[in-house]
Amino acid sequence: MQDKSIRLTILKTIYFIVVLVIAMLVVSHFSNGDNADMSAPMSEATLPMVTLVSGDREVNPLHGYTSEIDLSYLRGTIMPIGAARDVHYKVNTFGNKVWNLGFEVRSIDGKSLVENTEITDYRENADYIEGSFVLKDLINPGQEYMLVILMDTEIGKARYYSRFVWTEDDSKYYMDEELDFVLGFSEATFSKTEAQEYTKYLESNGDGDNTTFNKVNIHSSFNQVTWGDMTVTKHTEPEVFVKDLHGQTGIYELMYRVNIKDGTASRLYNVTECYRVRYTSDRMYLLNFERTMNYVFDSSSYALGTNTIAMNISSPDLQLVESSGGSAFAFVSENRLYMFNNSESKLAYLFGFYDTNNDDPRTRWQDHSIKILKVDEAGNVRFAVAGYMNRGIHEGAVGIAVYDYDSAMNSVEEQAFVESVQSAEILCNYVSNIAYASSADIFYVMLDQNIYAIDLLGKSASLVAQNIGAGEYKISRSESTIAWQSDLKSLKLMNLSNRVESEIKADPGDHIILLGFMGEDLVYGLCHASDVGVDTMGNPLYAMYNIRIGDLDGNILENYHPSDIYVTGVSIGENQIKLTRVVKDESGENYISTYDDQITSTLKPETGSNLVTVVSVDVFEKIVQITTKSDIKSKQLRVLTPNQTLFEGSRNVKPDIERDTKEKPFYYVYGMDGIRAIYTNPADAVKLANDAPGMVVGDDNDYVWLKGNLLRSNQNMTITRTAESYEGMDEISSTAVCIDLMLRYEGINRNVQSLLDEGESVVSILKSSLPDAQILELDGCPLSAMLYYVNQDIPVLAMLNDGSSMLVIGFNDLNTVLMNPQTGQVYKYGMNDSDKLFSDNGYHFITYIK
């Protein structure tokens, strides 16, 4: 009996142990990153892709959107539509089912629906749908519209967008000829023999950097453009994007991959080429060419040194954020995020839309960006992904996803998804400016020039600071502190870590100038209002008698105030501030240059951190590597790919964003490679676009300014004829004559001289008289940029330093056509002489667009 009892006790013990082991296994199975009920790999891409077809060539790969998009801000690609108004397309379904195809034609801002038609005539097989449709005769030639192709998919309604322009004359746009040149140029670079034909299009000079293959342009050497001595073993067929198209110019982007032999290994690189070309009946002109190549870091194939991680040919601006002690860091390579924990010999691939098992044009599209927010010593990483979501639970949507990587669990979990109707490009631009996560689980981000706080726990959004982007603002190195000012009387600071706001005011009679941050310390200047001068461009010159550096607690760390010397320019470096200085001349009214000075930080730079470094090698020239704080134990290194934690419900957050675009217009600058900046000052936008080169677009998605695309000559003959009636009218000021001519050209009659006598400004008169127009103050923009408006018969008012004004109303290759009320004449004036005239008078221009 006792033996039976013992046996029973043993069996119960064994049963208990078995049950306990099973329970532990189940709990472990559900709590680690391997269970499909708790975590799983990111779901595969399901949306089809659409390409537009011209002849035998596919262009403009279009990606499907499943969320609402404000078309006022979506640029994307453009397609010329011929006289027959027919559109040819191809849908790559990737084996997925689609149905209910149709298309819409909308105004360029998306607000007006022009046509909505079902597509029924097409050819279909297992992977593709091909067909064409004809647009109704409801569109105007030469005007841009938005084409929307719609279809139902397995994850809902998808929309595909491309701008288009219709011409009644099939020969007005030369896309096919320009693409023949662009693709021929690109292919020829892989053969030094074939490339000889294209040497005449290069402008090789000292402006080209021939020490790196990361960036190559039209000024680079022939050898640099043709890949130097590197062995390109393979390159893919490029995806072709028509970014902008006009009668005289076109902008094209090619995206492809190359394999470069590196010893016994083969390295994969993403390549983007941008071209701006002009076609004439005589020849093709290559106006601009830029190529970037970046190594695709792969956690399954990498090169480690004793204390280096090779990033090969990459941008030296590689994003890297480390923990406070430097034992762990995260870095981004070609829109893929990695974490390296040296103390635990761990390398983890945290996030990316493309990988070995998901590598097609849908997953590789890079209309998004990754921002590392913070890294701790254990290797936990908080990061944000902004823009278009290529796959996953938000596939086809645009927004900002905030994620946490748990190093112990080896899993990635979404904390919030900030919905947006903005274009992915614009959203990425805002996030690149300000995106910060506090320790209180608040995510701060700039949206539409405002700062919003996203509560990651409460899943809510609130407005923190309004209109920061409309004035001058600076951000500390860690992005934890923002300083901004809307006038010269004070500047405001906000510490995002604790949301404490403070203000620094100027003394009566003084101006305060926000200069920037040296690390986390604020740099600003003080200037007597009586000492404000004017530079050679006519811009205000703030002669600062005092430069101060202060910490966040209000303590003054440096108080620089030399006697009788003024600072007019400041350049802030890592631990040094360079000062451009002037002194007053004998009259005490003008400033003359004196020797420069500098302020050097007494803080010792941190040593022993993980750094992005650049080294020179023979064949590959400059290459990038991550130099680690301590030696890497490569034989012990574990490579991990975490799953994403699954959750129920929605973690979406939708900020309430409203702006009066009429009262507070924004100006979006696009270069050949996409958006460059967003401004509230049109002059700043035009100056950047002129250098980019590129264009400025307003809130209605229409052009504010465009580089090039000028006629050989043009003259506003209406104003030329009207100007004759002003001869001999000495009682009217030259400014009144110019404004009156501009208004009469638009069919408006007002007593301009009377309005000026009552104290109204030129801008206020134009705004009240032309309520449907956008008045542009373009101070500091060169004369050549003003020809864009004159090319469209829009007069440009030029104000001179003596208080007089004149109109620019025409041009040709050699001259401008000016209307000078002081002489009562319309006459030609040499282009160089005109530029000097307006340059000496500060380039003060005012014009408008409708």
Side-chain angles (χ1 to χ4, degrees), residues 625-695:
Q625 60 187 22
I626 298 173
T627 302
T628 59
K629 179 181 178 181
S630 53
D631 290 350
I632 301 171
K633 302 178 181 65
S634 56
K635 293 183 179 180
Q636 301 174 19
L637 189 65
R638 294 175 296 149
V639 180
L640 306 174
T641 303
N643 285 336
Q644 291 196 345
T645 300
L646 303 179
F647 53 86
E648 294 182 356
S650 171
R651 296 186 176 178
N652 288 18
V653 180
K654 190 170 185 178
D656 184 14
I657 301 175
E658 290 187 6
R659 174 169 56 89
D660 186 344
T661 57
K662 182 72 173 176
E663 291 298 319
K664 297 178 181 178
F666 289 170
Y667 302 93
Y668 305 84
V669 180
Y670 290 86
M672 295 193 299
D673 55 351
I675 195 164
R676 294 290 185 89
I678 303 169
Y679 291 106
T680 55
N681 182 353
D684 291 338
V686 169
K687 281 183 280 190
L688 177 59
N690 188 53
D691 295 335
M695 68 211 69

Side-chain angles (χ1 to χ4, degrees), residues 151-207:
M151 63 187 73
D152 286 327
T153 73
E154 295 172 0
I155 62 171
K157 179 75 74 176
R159 292 172 170 82
Y160 299 78
Y161 303 100
S162 179
R163 292 175 292 133
F164 76 89
V165 59
W166 171 56
T167 175
E168 294 173 306
D169 179 3
D170 283 337
S171 63
K172 184 174 182 181
Y173 296 96
Y174 300 96
M175 182 189 75
D176 291 326
E177 292 85 350
E178 290 171 354
L179 275 177
D180 286 341
F181 170 81
V182 165
L183 290 167
F185 183 101
S186 179
E187 182 63 30
T189 62
F190 296 102
S191 167
K192 293 189 186 296
T193 301
E194 294 180 12
Q196 290 292 336
E197 176 186 350
Y198 293 91
T199 54
K200 61 185 177 183
Y201 298 103
L202 296 178
E203 300 174 9
S204 302
N205 56 37
D207 294 333

Side-chain angles (χ1 to χ4, degrees), residues 15 19 58 72 93 108 148 199 209 232 234 256 270 315 335 348 352 478 536 629 642 673 675 705 725 785 830:
Y15 176 77
V19 170
E58 293 182 43
S72 299
T93 63
I108 194 62
V148 188
T199 54
D209 182 359
V232 181
K234 180 183 178 182
Y256 60 94
N270 286 332
S315 169
N335 264 342
S478 67
T536 57
K629 179 181 178 181
D673 55 351
I675 195 164
W705 186 87
S725 63

Side-chain angles (χ1 to χ4, degrees), residues 73-76 243 367-368 387-388 398 422-430 670 673-676 678:
Y73 305 97
L74 186 67
R75 293 298 294 168
K243 304 294 284 187
D367 205 16
H368 59 274
Y388 179 87
V398 172
Q422 282 278 16
S423 77
E425 274 193 291
I426 291 175
L427 193 62
C428 289
N429 181 269
Y430 281 131
Y670 290 86
D673 55 351
I675 195 164
R676 294 290 185 89
I678 303 169

Side-chain angles (χ1 to χ4, degrees), residues 571-802:
S571 175
I572 303 176
E574 187 72 21
N575 65 339
Q576 186 182 81
I577 301 177
K578 295 182 179 179
L579 308 172
T580 303
R581 310 191 308 168
V582 297
V583 295
K584 290 184 177 181
D585 63 10
E586 292 181 359
S587 69
E589 296 180 356
N590 301 309
Y591 295 103
I592 56 176
S593 297
T594 187
Y595 61 92
D596 295 344
D597 199 0
Q598 60 189 29
I599 301 173
T600 303
S601 173
T602 57
L603 295 176
K604 294 182 180 180
E606 296 181 7
T607 58
S609 299
N610 305 281
L611 303 170
V612 177
T613 55
V614 178
V615 297
S616 297
V617 295
D618 289 339
V619 174
F620 300 101
E621 298 181 347
K622 286 181 180 177
I623 62 170
V624 174
Q625 60 187 22
I626 298 173
T627 302
T628 59
K629 179 181 178 181
S630 53
D631 290 350
I632 301 171
K633 302 178 181 65
S634 56
K635 293 183 179 180
Q636 301 174 19
L637 189 65
R638 294 175 296 149
V639 180
L640 306 174
T641 303
N643 285 336
Q644 291 196 345
T645 300
L646 303 179
F647 53 86
E648 294 182 356
S650 171
R651 296 186 176 178
N652 288 18
V653 180
K654 190 170 185 178
D656 184 14
I657 301 175
E658 290 187 6
R659 174 169 56 89
D660 186 344
T661 57
K662 182 72 173 176
E663 291 298 319
K664 297 178 181 178
F666 289 170
Y667 302 93
Y668 305 84
V669 180
Y670 290 86
M672 295 193 299
D673 55 351
I675 195 164
R676 294 290 185 89
I678 303 169
Y679 291 106
T680 55
N681 182 353
D684 291 338
V686 169
K687 281 183 280 190
L688 177 59
N690 188 53
D691 295 335
M695 68 211 69
V696 181
V697 178
D699 286 305
D700 56 1
N701 210 1
D702 215 344
Y703 297 98
V704 173
W705 186 87
L706 174 68
K707 178 78 170 182
N709 197 49
L710 300 176
L711 301 171
R712 295 292 298 273
S713 63
N714 192 55
Q715 184 172 341
N716 188 317
M717 297 309 298
T718 301
I719 290 182
T720 300
R721 290 187 291 268
T722 307
E724 297 175 358
S725 63
Y726 288 90
E727 290 187 22
M729 298 179 64
D730 297 333
E731 69 277 8
I732 301 178
S733 70
S734 60
T735 301
V737 171
C738 291
I739 299 173
D740 197 45
L741 279 168
M742 296 172 81
L743 296 182
R744 287 176 65 180
Y745 174 65
E746 295 294 342
I748 306 295
N749 287 301
R750 299 192 71 182
N751 188 337
V752 177
Q753 187 62 62
S754 175
L755 295 173
L756 289 172
D757 292 342
E758 292 171 2
E760 283 206 47
S761 67
V762 174
V763 172
S764 65
I765 294 172
L766 290 175
K767 282 185 175 180
S768 62
S769 304
L770 302 172
D772 295 329
Q774 194 170 157
I775 310 305
L776 304 173
E777 296 182 76
L778 299 173
D779 277 9
C781 298
L783 172 64
S784 58
M786 295 304 99
L787 301 184
Y788 167 79
Y789 304 101
V790 182
N791 189 65
Q792 302 173 74
D793 285 334
I794 300 174
V796 175
L797 185 150
M799 303 184 71
L800 307 183
N801 291 340
D802 63 4

Side-chain angles (χ1 to χ4, degrees), residues 31 81 246 251 274 474 502 507 608 618 635 769 801 807:
S31 62
I81 305 299
H246 300 277
I251 296 178
C274 297
K474 302 292 182 181
S502 57
D507 292 333
D618 289 339
K635 293 183 179 180
S769 304
N801 291 340
L807 285 182

Side-chain angles (χ1 to χ4, degrees), residues 101-173:
L101 274 70
F103 73 90
E104 294 176 350
V105 174
R106 291 187 169 272
S107 58
I108 194 62
D109 61 4
K111 293 179 172 60
S112 299
L113 178 63
V114 179
E115 180 181 357
N116 183 3
T117 303
E118 183 181 359
I119 299 175
T120 57
D121 184 17
Y122 52 82
R123 302 175 300 280
E124 185 175 11
N125 58 37
D127 294 315
Y128 292 96
I129 294 173
E130 298 180 81
S132 64
F133 52 84
V134 177
L135 305 178
K136 293 179 181 178
D137 188 11
L138 301 172
I139 53 180
N140 298 319
Q143 182 176 332
E144 288 189 10
Y145 293 87
M146 190 67 74
L147 174 66
V148 188
I149 297 177
L150 307 92
M151 63 187 73
D152 286 327
T153 73
E154 295 172 0
I155 62 171
K157 179 75 74 176
R159 292 172 170 82
Y160 299 78
Y161 303 100
S162 179
R163 292 175 292 133
F164 76 89
V165 59
W166 171 56
T167 175
E168 294 173 306
D169 179 3
D170 283 337
S171 63
K172 184 174 182 181
Y173 296 96

